[in-house]
Amino acid sequence: MGAIRGVVSLVVGAILATALVAQQSGPPGTGGADQTGQAGRGRGGRGRGNTIQIPPKGECPPGTTEVRPQTCQAPEFPPPSIVDYRPHSTLVADAHPVPKAKFPAIDIHGHPRGLLSSAESLASLTASLDTLNVRLMVSADDGVSGDRLARVIGMIRGTPQRDRVWMFTSIDFRDVGRGWAERAVRQLEADVKAGAVGVGEISKSFGLTIRKRDGMRLKIDDPDLGPVWDACARLNLPVFIHTGDPEEFFRPIDYHNERWLELSLFADRRYPSDRFPSFDELMAERDNLVKRHPRTRFIIAHMSWYAADLPRLARLLDTYPNANTELGAILYDLGRQPRAAHDFFVKYQDRILFGKDAFEPEEYPYYWRVFETRDEYFDYYRGYHAFWKLYGIDLPDVVLKKVYFQNALRLTPGLPQTGWPR
Ligand SMILES: [Zn+2]
């Protein structure tokens, strides 16, 4: 796995390096690589004079690529930047788009945001969900509790769409210190009375940026929070928690970083080690939390950002029977390893929940297509995430039903339990 990943990142790195040298180079036609002073004169692919030898396992210099073993060459034409290189695939492959899920789905990771502001906007939300066969959305917006939560639930229950959207409540992690837990538990009990069916999404700021009353970083496994997690078990609520972000966001932003483009586009996705805990530190704290509260059911968002390392996710699920996982926003990692992902879903079919995260109706069909078909080599919906194509993982119906709705129903007893296919 590590070796394969190394090779892939080397190739991607070489492409990026080539592209970036071009961006920085002079007028068109001068050959991007000339500026490195290393890569010949950009005279085309035939001659021998413009190649560079590298040692075994060496890396080609910037602006060049490996054309034969240990032989690097600069392209004759100024290479496009990675944002401009958009080759059209010549592969002729069967395509089976799936506009509607095969079975009714529960989106456990909904962010309807403004769409819960009125009965009219709710009606437009559920009309979109109908076209996708998403029967229920769980609103996992952070920061909704108390009066606001009760108001939104009251609005939903007063409409014909009353059973289509369900609310998770939020924990206010500000000002953790003496007396905090008692207040938080009281609020939680009130929110459950108002109709909340779970807790979350606990946002990534928990662990990354939130501070305690004393100014120290609030660690995910801070013992002051313990009474709240125990209350979730007592109240029979799942805890939906997002920790960290893709591991590449915590790494140096160099040309070996698989998310270089995304990191260059979005400054708020960078977590330099001098200002943030490391990825592994966050994961260890989260594991500790799950371990210390074995009776609390956790739904770990985004497959814990382990979807590119399914063996690691398997270890997490094997170690903690109270851990479950949700698959929002990591489809690009599942779809690039269709056989491993298929086997993982079959093995852990009782532990995986469908969730979409950002509410963009036109993006859901990519999920259905990956889960339900054997299609090959098709695009993900965000080019800056994935310099690769997706493949269908062709899940059997019994697994689809669990992932789409049965697991969510089991873990969230407050959701309507009847009227689902068998
Ligand atoms: Zn979310």
Side-chain angles (χ1 to χ4, degrees):
M1 191 95 192
I4 292 168
R5 191 193 257 184
V7 171
V8 172
S9 78
L10 212 122
V11 173
V12 173
I15 294 168
L16 292 176
T18 305
L20 274 134
V21 167
Q23 273 186 318
Q24 292 152 9
S25 74
T30 56
D34 285 358
Q35 302 228 337
T36 66
Q38 294 171 293
R41 319 205 157 272
R43 255 180 324 184
R46 231 178 306 176
R48 257 165 298 168
N50 61 348
T51 58
I52 296 167
Q53 300 299 313
I54 54 168
K57 297 204 169 82
E59 205 175 318
C60 287
T64 70
T65 191
E66 196 163 6
V67 289
R68 292 287 183 277
Q70 298 168 54
T71 304
C72 308
Q73 183 183 314
E76 177 178 357
F77 310 132
S81 88
I82 56 171
V83 289
D84 293 327
Y85 187 57
R86 301 161 198 161
H88 289 177
S89 168
T90 52
L91 183 74
V92 178
D94 275 354
H96 305 90
V98 187
K100 259 181 136 104
K102 184 169 184 182
F103 301 104
I106 295 175
D107 180 358
I108 199 85
H109 192 164
H111 288 301
R113 301 229 150 86
L115 294 171
L116 297 184
S117 57
S118 69
E120 293 71 39
S121 59
L122 174 65
S124 89
L125 169 65
T126 54
S128 297
L129 298 179
D130 286 340
T131 66
L132 304 163
N133 201 16
V134 175
R135 183 175 291 178
L136 302 187
M137 174 180 273
V138 173
S139 170
D141 286 346
D142 191 26
V144 182
S145 96
D147 293 345
R148 194 165 148 220
L149 177 85
R151 214 167 39 241
V152 175
I153 293 175
M155 185 280 291
I156 296 168
R157 299 294 170 254
T159 69
Q161 294 82 29
R162 63 176 61 82
D163 58 351
R164 300 294 300 280
V165 178
W166 297 79
M167 302 293 290
F168 278 174
T169 184
S170 304
I171 295 169
D172 184 350
F173 289 107
R174 286 172 300 182
D175 202 36
V176 173
R178 183 193 287 270
W180 177 89
E182 291 72 25
R183 272 200 316 279
V185 169
R186 271 201 305 277
Q187 184 63 59
L188 190 60
E189 289 167 343
D191 289 346
V192 169
K193 217 169 249 163
V197 295
V199 170
E201 172 183 25
I202 295 173
S203 89
K204 61 187 166 192
S205 59
F206 176 47
L208 274 173
T209 53
I210 297 176
R211 309 221 150 242
K212 296 187 73 170
R213 192 180 297 158
D214 63 11
M216 302 294 286
R217 180 174 71 86
L218 176 60
K219 294 186 178 169
I220 296 167
D221 56 355
D222 191 303
D224 284 354
L225 307 173
V228 175
W229 310 126
D230 291 335
C232 292
R234 170 167 56 80
L235 297 165
N236 207 6
L237 303 172
V239 176
F240 180 45
I241 179 168
H242 172 163
T243 302
D245 252 340
E247 199 169 354
E248 296 289 81
F249 294 6
F250 295 80
R251 294 223 172 105
I253 308 171
D254 58 23
Y255 294 169
H256 292 306
N257 190 315
E258 213 173 20
R259 306 293 277 268
W260 181 94
L261 178 57
E262 180 171 5
L263 288 165
S264 184
L265 288 166
F266 302 103
D268 61 350
R269 298 183 189 182
R270 303 168 196 158
Y271 303 116
S273 60
D274 56 338
R275 286 173 32 220
F276 294 95
S278 72
F279 181 82
D280 284 337
E281 206 175 337
L282 291 167
M283 295 300 134
E285 290 175 8
R286 191 274 324 280
D287 286 359
N288 220 2
L289 162 68
V290 172
K291 177 176 159 183
R292 281 194 203 152
H293 300 277
R295 292 183 318 121
T296 306
R297 298 190 300 278
F298 292 93
I299 302 170
I300 296 171
H302 308 295
M303 283 192 154
S304 191
W305 305 114
Y306 293 168
D309 186 354
L310 291 175
R312 188 172 182 180
L313 183 56
R315 288 195 295 278
L316 170 69
L317 296 175
D318 289 343
T319 309
Y320 307 111
N322 57 327
N324 302 276
T325 193
E326 175 271 345
L327 52 74
I330 45 83
L331 190 70
Y332 50 85
D333 274 333
L334 300 174
R336 66 167 159 168
Q337 47 174 337
R339 287 172 289 275
H342 172 276
D343 293 352
F344 184 89
F345 272 67
V346 169
K347 180 158 184 204
Y348 295 98
Q349 56 184 273
D350 295 307
R351 315 286 292 280
I352 305 169
L353 284 71
F354 172 73
K356 170 61 182 69
D357 199 358
F359 182 64
E360 301 287 354
E362 53 285 345
E363 293 173 351
Y364 287 73
Y366 290 80
Y367 286 73
W368 316 146
R369 189 176 180 195
V370 167
F371 298 142
E372 298 178 22
T373 78
R374 295 162 51 83
D375 282 1
E376 299 185 295
Y377 203 74
F378 53 94
D379 285 321
Y380 184 57
Y381 51 81
R382 287 189 198 161
Y384 66 79
H385 264 185
F387 291 91
W388 56 83
K389 303 280 183 177
L390 304 185
Y391 301 80
I393 71 173
D394 192 27
L395 295 175
D397 287 357
V398 60
V399 176
L400 283 176
K401 283 190 253 190
K402 287 181 177 179
V403 171
Y404 281 175
F405 66 91
Q406 287 170 346
N407 294 337
L409 291 175
R410 190 184 73 248
L411 294 170
T412 319
L415 293 176
Q417 301 282 324
T418 55
W420 298 90
R422 306 204 4 160

